[in-house]
Structure formats: structure tokens, C-alpha cells
Amino acid sequence: MAQKPSIPKGTRDFLPAEVEKRNYIFNTISTVFKKFGFAPIETPSFENSSTLMGKYGEEGDKLMFQILRSGNYLSKLNEGEVSSTLTNNVLDKLPLEERINLNKITGKIAEKALRYDLTVPFARFVVQHQNDLSFPFKRYQIQPVWRADRPQHGRYQEFTQCDADVVGSESLLYEVELVQIFDEVLTNLNIPDFSIKINNRKILSGIAEITGQEEKIIDITVAIDKLDKIGEEGVIKELREKEIPEAAIEKIKPLFAMHGDNASIMAEMREMLAESEIGQKGIDELEYVFEMVDAVGLQRAKLEFDVTLARGLNYYTGAIFEVKANGVKMGSICGGGRYDDLTALFGMKDMSGVGISFGADRIYDVLNTLELFPASIAKGLSVLFINFGDAEAKHCFKLVSQLRQAGIDAELYPTSAKMKKQMKYANDRGVQHVAMVGSQEIEKGIVQLKNMESGEQEELDINQLIDKLK
């Protein structure tokens, strides 16, 4: 019995029209990256597990796809490596391979993992190739990543990230540039209304400091980062579950009610963090970014200080970004931030970096929802030659070759099928023009060209045809 074709949940096939739309997004992004001086690189789709594990926090590690080693390693495990907790009668009847405690033996059966993002592999890349690079090094990278997330609208297990990072400089001018890149890319994609949310991890560290919970900073930031998803009560509940004292929670609560323009919120935070040196430094850095952005201006973006923005990745140490398309039910479509210690994980200290990532798949969904893809993307093949028989096909194939040499996409239908079938093929492919060349047209040295949209038909020689279709 033939197997029913299927793909894993959280993954997708892309039809030609969808690939054209995706390429439109990728090309728009890469054009702006190049404009700002970023150079392209690529890294492998999978890395050593040791490169990735522990860099994204506990939640990130849980979502990482591990790759089983080749060879039947499971059969080589001894009984002592079978989980002692599997005492249920049903589980006892399962084969040994299905009763393995994977938490204990992952290192034996999986030493590689699909990359979770592009930033940690980039840090590894920088350290490994440091003698071949000039610093500050600006790179961009457009490649797929994998996360074992629960598939839902706008969230996939395989998706493409479009990253731009600078390493080797602490200059806040790069934060300003990255804000400009967000603005220019999304403006060029014609997204009408979007906000760039910005915060600084030093401010969050200051909050942890004034509450006396410095050792709980990760728990605090992970919780408040979920404010827009679970609400104030949900955040407070999670803080309590993480054993944050009530006195500390009371000091955190004012964050949830902060409203107003950027300057007024920043003034409130400066007062709130009066006793925190690191918190004050975070506010200083944000004020500089706002001042510089105000000086150069933005096209469409709204730059907003969001003190509850934390982003879940543990490696951020300074400015953090998140971008949302307003008026669309979708999570963040871009993100990023500064990381001072990432390359140190691979033995290279004092190499500060800052970077951003465009979520191409979510941007695709936004453009589809708002019907913002240009009509020109939907245009199919420029010209299809109808096949009237062997003699005509031989003549037309030469014309097709001439058109291709002139840079025009062209095809000859492969057989002399009925006209109705060939025209249906042209319609299904979204062909822009159909060329018809019978024995009379061969004698005259012309082509009957039909515009498939207007129905207009005209006689052209090959040179006129090339000029028409170019």
C-alpha cells in the first residue's frame, strides 16, 4: 500500500508563487543590509551540541532539535542506563530502546544539534575565523533555523532568519544603525504601521538590584517579558512561582502601569533606579540612541521605550529590540540586542556585539494578510510558444533560445497537444504572452504574439519580439 505523503508539523512546502514572494522579502532585506556595509556569510545547518547548549537558557535548551548519532548506539547501552522511574507495567513491556532515560544519555546518542538561531553560531564563527576578519566585523546571514516549538499561526519549527550583526565595537552608533535598518526594510516592504520596541538589559538588572533579587534576574526578565501574552496577573503569578518575595514583586508592579511618551517613562525609570548604577547606565545608553535617532529621523517606524521588554535569550547585556506590525494579530516580526560576553563562551574576551534578526516567515504572513506583495511578483513566464508539430517546434526552439540569450524567460510547450490543453497550461502558469508560429508565420519570419491579460494580438519579427518583452 502506497504511503500517504506528509511533512512534519511546523514545516511547510513552498509552491513557486510562494518562493517568489519569499525571495522578494529576502532580496529587500539583503539589499538594505549591503547598503549599510554588512557582508554575507553562511554557517552549517547543524553545530556541535556543546556549541549551542546552555546559551539560550533552560527554555531554549528544551526547544533544541538534537541529532541522533549514526550507528545503533541505543543497543549498546547497559541496563544501568535505563531510567529507574519507568516502573509502570505498560512501560515495562516496551523494548529497551523505548525505555531509555534520554536526559541521562543524550550525550552518548546525540552530539550535534540543528541550529536554534544564527547568533550563537556566528559567535563561534567569529572566534574560529578571527585571524581572517577585520574588526569591527559586520555580517549578514539569511538561513533557516529550527526550534521544537508548538506549531501555531506565525510560529513554525523550521523558519528562516535574516540576521545582521556587528562585533568588535561597543559604539552605540551601531544600535542607531540597526534601528534605521528596521525602519528602511519594513518601509521598503510597504508595511504601513509598525513599532520598534526598545529596552536595555542594564535597566532590567537595575530592577533586580533595587528589589534585592540580583540572583533571580533571569526568572524576573523571563516573567515580565510575557506581559503582553499573560497579562499583569499572569506575570505576578509566575514571579511567585519562581519564589520572588512579595516585597520585591511590589517594587516591580509599577512597571506594568508606566505609560506616556519615551521621555516621561525614562524620567520615571531614572527616579525608580536612583540607587542602581547599572540601571542608570542603561538609561544613559537608551537616551543616546533616542537622541541620535531623533537627529536623523525615521521613515515610518515608531521607536518606543518598553520597560517590560526583556527578550528570553540570556546572552543579551545591553540594548534589546522587538518589532511589531500594528493592526495585525502576530507576535514580534523582528528582534535583537547587544551581547558583550557571547564570544567569551568560545575563549575570545572583550568582543562586544550587537545584532538584529528579521523573522521572514512572520513578515511573509503580515504581507499576505495586508495584501502588500507587489502585483509584479505574481507575473509568470514571459512567453510560451505553442507547439504545432515537429517542423514548427524546431523553428520555435531556435526562437526560444534567442529570447533566452537576450535575458527573456521563454518556453516551448513540449508536445503538439490540442490547443485547449496548451492554453490551459499557459493560464495555469500565469504566462504573460503566448507566441504562435505556424507554417505561414515561418515563411513570413514573424510571430503571432497574444497578450494573455488584454487579449491583444500582434505580428512581430524576432527583433521586435525581443524589444517588446525586454
Side-chain angles (χ1 to χ4, degrees):
M1 182 176 178
Q3 179 180 341
K4 182 179 179 180
S6 64
I7 58 175
K9 289 184 179 180
T11 65
R12 295 151 296 160
D13 289 324
F14 297 108
L15 295 170
E18 295 169 320
V19 173
E20 292 286 355
K21 290 179 177 180
R22 287 168 62 81
N23 286 341
Y24 163 72
I25 295 172
F26 298 145
N27 292 337
T28 301
I29 294 171
S30 62
T31 296
V32 177
F33 284 166
K34 291 176 185 176
K35 185 177 176 180
F36 278 76
F38 291 80
I41 69 163
E42 291 188 355
T43 59
S45 59
F46 56 91
E47 299 269 351
N48 292 324
S49 294
S50 58
T51 298
L52 303 177
M53 297 297 289
K55 310 302 191 301
Y56 306 101
E58 184 179 349
E59 290 190 17
D61 287 350
K62 290 177 182 177
L63 299 179
M64 204 170 298
F65 279 106
Q66 302 269 4
I67 301 174
L68 288 176
R69 295 176 66 182
S70 57
N72 191 11
Y73 279 85
L74 289 173
S75 65
K76 301 175 184 177
L77 295 169
N78 59 55
E79 289 293 337
E81 292 169 319
V82 178
S83 171
S84 60
T85 63
L86 298 180
T87 57
N88 182 284
N89 288 336
V90 174
L91 294 176
D92 285 341
K93 296 176 182 178
L94 292 175
L96 172 64
E97 287 85 352
E98 296 183 37
R99 290 185 284 131
I100 298 299
N101 184 340
L102 295 180
N103 289 327
K104 291 182 179 180
I105 59 147
T106 296
K108 292 187 177 182
I109 65 171
E111 57 183 8
K112 300 180 183 70
L114 294 176
R115 58 172 173 243
Y116 180 87
D117 74 351
L118 298 179
T119 306
V120 171
F122 173 55
R124 188 268 310 155
F125 174 96
V126 168
V127 175
Q128 192 167 339
H129 299 282
Q130 58 187 286
N131 295 328
D132 303 314
L133 306 175
S134 297
F135 296 98
F137 177 59
K138 302 173 79 172
R139 85 80 166 87
Y140 78 85
Q141 194 171 349
I142 298 178
Q143 288 188 279
V145 299
W146 294 266
R147 297 181 187 179
D149 234 335
R150 183 171 65 86
Q152 54 186 290
H153 177 63
R155 189 180 295 274
Y156 308 102
Q157 292 193 341
E158 178 185 60
F159 56 98
T160 300
Q161 285 189 335
C162 309
D163 283 17
D165 287 77
V166 187
V167 291
S169 174
E170 296 179 359
S171 173
L172 295 175
L173 284 175
Y174 288 123
E175 273 84 339
V176 178
E177 275 197 351
L178 294 174
V179 168
Q180 289 179 296
I181 289 174
F182 279 142
D183 180 50
E184 185 161 342
V185 167
L186 299 179
T187 297
N188 290 352
L189 290 172
N190 207 30
I191 295 177
D193 187 12
F194 56 94
S195 298
I196 303 171
K197 310 279 189 179
I198 185 171
N199 196 8
N200 194 298
R201 272 295 179 97
K202 294 182 178 70
I203 293 174
L204 297 171
S205 295
I207 293 168
E209 184 179 353
I210 65 167
T211 59
Q213 300 296 309
E214 293 96 323
E215 75 284 357
K216 296 273 193 175
I217 182 173
I218 293 176
D219 291 335
I220 292 172
T221 55
V222 167
I224 68 174
D225 193 46
K226 298 175 182 176
L227 180 64
D228 60 340
K229 298 175 183 175
I230 62 177
E232 180 177 341
E233 291 304 316
V235 173
I236 292 172
K237 179 182 177 184
E238 184 163 328
L239 289 171
R240 286 171 178 156
E241 289 173 351
K242 296 293 185 179
E243 300 181 349
I244 307 298
E246 288 299 320
I249 292 175
E250 286 301 314
K251 290 185 177 180
I252 293 170
K253 277 184 180 180
L255 300 177
F256 307 142
M258 284 190 179
H259 299 289
D261 59 26
N262 296 320
S264 62
I265 297 175
M266 216 135 15
E268 283 188 65
M269 287 306 304
R270 192 174 285 283
E271 183 177 346
M272 179 180 179
L273 300 177
E275 303 300 317
S276 172
E277 182 179 347
I278 190 171
Q280 294 293 322
K281 182 169 173 43
I283 294 171
D284 290 341
E285 291 181 2
L286 273 192
E287 284 184 338
Y288 176 85
V289 173
F290 276 105
E291 178 185 341
M292 292 298 293
V293 169
D294 286 342
V296 297
L298 296 174
Q299 299 177 66
R300 290 189 183 176
K302 299 180 180 76
L303 183 62
E304 301 173 358
F305 177 29
D306 184 351
V307 71
T308 64
L309 174 63
R311 292 195 60 77
L313 301 180
N314 289 345
Y315 52 64
Y316 291 127
T317 57
I320 44 179
F321 306 101
E322 199 161 270
V323 183
K324 293 192 175 182
N326 299 321
V328 182
K329 289 185 178 180
M330 180 71 65
S332 61
I333 59 175
C334 311
R338 179 168 285 276
Y339 42 90
D340 288 335
D341 305 319
L342 203 53
T343 56
L345 296 171
F346 302 105
M348 189 177 185
K349 297 180 179 180
D350 302 319
M351 187 62 68
S352 183
V354 61
I356 58 175
S357 178
F358 287 83
D361 298 277
R362 288 190 174 185
I363 291 173
Y364 180 101
D365 289 343
V366 169
L367 296 184
N368 251 355
T369 299
L370 299 179
E371 299 182 350
L372 295 175
F373 282 108
S376 58
I377 294 179
K379 289 183 177 179
L381 184 72
S382 291
V383 58
L384 172 72
F385 280 77
I386 298 298
N387 191 325
F388 288 107
D390 291 344
E392 292 86 350
K394 183 177 180 181
H395 177 82
C396 289
F397 199 68
K398 293 178 182 177
L399 298 180
V400 167
S401 297
Q402 287 180 262
L403 290 174
R404 289 171 175 169
Q405 288 171 8
I408 299 165
D409 49 314
E411 274 188 29
L412 168 66
Y413 194 81
T415 64
S416 56
K418 291 181 178 180
M419 177 67 77
K420 183 179 179 180
K421 182 177 181 179
Q422 296 191 49
M423 293 301 289
K424 182 180 183 303
Y425 175 80
N427 283 320
D428 291 345
R429 287 283 309 275
V431 171
Q432 299 173 51
H433 301 89
V434 165
M436 292 168 282
V437 182
S439 57
Q440 292 184 0
E441 284 77 19
I442 293 175
E443 290 178 13
K444 294 180 181 178
I446 61 169
V447 171
Q448 294 282 353
L449 187 71
K450 180 178 180 178
N451 185 308
M452 293 294 284
E453 184 175 349
S454 66
E456 179 186 345
Q457 195 163 312
E458 55 188 320
E459 293 183 353
L460 303 168
D461 64 28
I462 185 60
N463 293 323
Q464 292 172 324
L465 183 62
I466 290 172
D467 291 340
K468 173 86 175 178
L469 298 179
K470 261 192 170 181

